[in-house]
């Protein structure tokens, strides 16, 4: 198992390197650089002024040199005034030194946000924290409800209960977040008036049950159906196994058979699906957070993309890749522990 984990960590590092190189190339395409320069200067700036700004701030350096600076393996250079020869930091609002230095991902420096005028870490990690709280409550609601629905449907295959729960699961899965979010907002906020204030206040005035309900409901209702269907299919398969029949013939009650024998084996497939919900939650919150003005990771990602905030966009991409690869590793390790046959092999 240790060797497997070490190999996967090596693959993760190589995958992150390749993906960040691709993202770095895409966000540094010429149209994006021109839009960045315009956003930092003025719409009426001439082409010479835009080019001068890009040159001054190091955006015209060799592509691989800039990528190495972002990684932290190549020194970053300060701005040099061509007339006086005086060195000055590229972005004074981020307290960058006015001298060559190593500052990149390997040093824990995510760069400077040109949109928010702060170091990327000061904007990215609070947003991740806010989204982490949202994801936690979504999982608290989604996983137990989905497993309960799937187990009940699988235990009663072919009955009215099974058909009702299966239809409800398919309906929730087929409804996108932006549709269910609008429906919930109309019903609970507009018609019933239950929710005072909007989710936009969640990160400003403290998270409460009321201003947090709609985003959690919107995301949980979508994931419940998918996990429930996988759990039901797995439960149906397990309930037809020979060892279940043997346990019933030995006189064990139906509940004891389900809890002691069927449930653990039935949870192997749903466990993988549940772990894969974390990458979906991190990227799927984009729609929900923008819809409800919840200022978390998804909202920050949209702001970075809309304003060509290169360093912040790269930081968001790095976090997304890390979460996806990490959850896949945890899923594989957990699957091996839940299924003894995988561990023996």
């Amino acid at each position: 198992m240790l060797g497997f984990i070490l190999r996967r960590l090596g693959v993760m590092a190589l995958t992150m390197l390749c993906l960040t190189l691709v993202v770095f190339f895409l966000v540094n395409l010429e149209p994006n650089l021109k839009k960045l320069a315009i956003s930092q200067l003025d719409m009426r700036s001439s082409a010479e002024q835009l080019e001068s700004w890009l040159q001054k701030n190091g955006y015209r350096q060799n592509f691989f040199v800039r990528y190495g600076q972002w990684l932290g393996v190549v020194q970053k250079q300060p701005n040099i005034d061509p007339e006086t020869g005086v060195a000055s930091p590229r972005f004074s609002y981020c307290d960058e030194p006015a001298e060559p230095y190593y500052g990149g991902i390997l040093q824990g420096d995510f760069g400077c946000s040109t949109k928010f005028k702060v170091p990327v870490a000061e904007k990215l990690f609070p947003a991740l924290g806010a989204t982490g709280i949202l994801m936690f409550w979504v999982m608290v609601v989604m996983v137990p409800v989905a497993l309960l629905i799937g187990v009940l449907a699988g235990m009663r295959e072919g009955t009215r209960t099974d058909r009702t729960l299966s239809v409800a699961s398919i309906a929730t899965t087929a409804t996108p977040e932006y549709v269910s979010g609008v429906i919930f907002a109309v019903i609970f906020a507009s018609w019933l008036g239950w929710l005072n204030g909007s989710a936009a206040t969640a990160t400003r005035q403290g998270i409460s049950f009321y201003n947090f309900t709609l985003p959690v409901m919107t995301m949980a209702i979508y994931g419940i159906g998918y996990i429930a269907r996988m759990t039901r299919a797995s439960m149906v398969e397990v309930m037809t196994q020979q060892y279940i029949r043997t346990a019933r013939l030995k006189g064990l009650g139906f509940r004891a058979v389900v809890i002691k024998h069927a449930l653990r084996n039935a949870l192997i497939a749903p466990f993988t699906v549940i772990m894969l919900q974390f990458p979906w939650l991190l990227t799927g919150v984009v729609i929900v957070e923008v819809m409800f003005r919840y200022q978390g990771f998804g909202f920050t990602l949209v702001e970075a993309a809309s304003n060509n905030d290169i360093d912040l966009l790269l930081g968001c991409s790095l976090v997304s890749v890390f979460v996806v690869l990490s959850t896949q590793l945890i899923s594989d390790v957990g699957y091996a522990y839940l299924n003894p046959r995988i561990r023996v092999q």
Side-chain angles (χ1 to χ4, degrees):
M1 181 61 71
L2 180 60
F4 168 76
I5 294 175
L6 292 177
R7 288 195 300 272
R8 287 298 299 270
L9 289 175
V11 173
M12 283 177 57
L14 182 59
T15 303
M16 291 181 67
L17 184 66
C18 295
L19 290 178
T20 54
L21 179 62
V22 173
V23 174
F24 193 88
F25 171 76
L26 293 176
V27 299
N28 281 281
L29 292 174
E30 187 63 23
N32 294 333
L33 294 179
K34 288 293 181 64
K35 290 179 181 178
L36 173 62
I38 292 174
S39 67
Q40 297 299 303
L41 295 176
D42 192 282
M43 289 292 295
R44 294 183 294 272
S45 299
S46 64
E48 292 77 12
Q49 290 174 318
L50 298 178
E51 183 63 28
S52 175
W53 187 89
L54 292 173
Q55 187 75 33
K56 175 183 176 182
N57 289 280
Y59 290 100
R60 290 309 188 194
Q61 296 183 77
N62 179 271
F63 171 79
F64 291 102
V65 170
R66 292 193 56 223
Y67 181 66
Q69 291 175 343
W70 180 75
L71 287 178
V73 297
V74 177
Q75 280 189 331
K76 290 184 177 180
Q77 302 296 326
N79 293 330
I80 304 296
D81 191 309
E83 297 180 358
T84 64
V86 176
S88 61
R90 290 197 315 153
F91 302 111
S92 58
Y93 44 80
C94 286
D95 296 326
E96 293 186 350
E99 58 186 18
Y101 72 103
Y102 288 96
I105 298 301
L106 297 179
Q107 287 80 27
D109 181 4
F110 285 78
C112 188
S113 171
T114 53
K115 160 65 178 175
F116 298 100
K117 311 299 182 184
V118 295
V120 169
E122 292 185 11
K123 184 65 181 178
L124 179 60
F125 291 113
L128 275 174
T131 296
I133 297 173
L134 178 65
M135 291 170 60
F136 171 78
W137 286 108
V138 170
M139 296 298 287
V140 166
V141 173
M142 179 175 65
V143 174
V145 173
L147 293 180
L148 180 61
I149 292 174
V151 170
L152 290 176
M155 289 168 54
R156 307 295 179 183
E157 182 188 9
T159 64
R160 182 178 298 178
T161 300
D162 178 27
R163 291 194 294 270
T164 302
L165 294 176
S166 297
V167 169
S169 300
I170 294 173
T172 58
T173 305
T175 306
E177 301 98 319
Y178 55 85
V179 175
S180 58
V182 171
I183 293 174
F184 288 146
V186 170
I187 293 176
F188 292 100
S190 299
W191 290 357
L192 300 179
W194 286 3
L195 304 175
N196 298 320
S198 67
T201 62
T203 57
R204 295 178 180 176
Q205 301 177 2
I207 295 173
S208 69
F209 175 80
Y210 295 101
N211 63 22
F212 215 56
T213 302
L214 288 184
V216 170
M217 288 178 59
T218 300
M219 299 189 68
I221 202 72
Y222 181 81
I224 283 174
Y226 184 49
I227 298 175
R229 290 170 59 200
M230 291 295 297
T231 306
R232 178 205 175 270
S234 183
M235 194 70 183
V236 168
E237 182 181 358
V238 169
M239 292 298 291
T240 60
Q241 296 297 315
Q242 185 63 42
Y243 66 89
I244 297 295
R245 297 175 184 172
T246 302
R248 293 297 303 276
L249 291 175
K250 288 182 177 180
L252 288 178
F254 185 73
R255 180 178 300 178
V257 170
V258 170
I259 296 177
K260 293 183 178 180
H261 299 281
L263 196 56
R264 176 180 176 179
N265 292 314
L267 290 180
I268 294 176
F271 173 79
T272 304
V273 175
I274 290 170
M275 291 306 302
L276 292 178
Q277 297 304 304
F278 285 97
W280 166 74
L281 286 174
L282 190 64
T283 55
V285 294
V286 173
I287 296 175
V288 176
E289 290 186 355
V290 172
M291 179 182 298
F292 294 107
R293 303 295 295 176
Y294 183 83
Q295 298 182 21
F297 178 80
F299 186 87
T300 302
L301 178 60
V302 172
E303 286 291 302
S306 301
N307 294 278
N308 297 285
D309 194 336
I310 291 178
D311 284 348
L312 183 56
L313 190 57
L314 287 170
C316 292
S317 302
L318 182 65
V319 169
S320 299
V321 172
F322 178 78
V323 170
V324 171
L325 296 177
S326 298
T327 51
Q328 287 181 348
L329 175 61
I330 296 173
S331 175
D332 291 342
V333 174
Y335 191 92
Y337 276 106
L338 285 174
N339 191 341
R341 290 172 297 179
I342 299 296
R343 186 164 67 251
V344 170
Q345 292 175 0

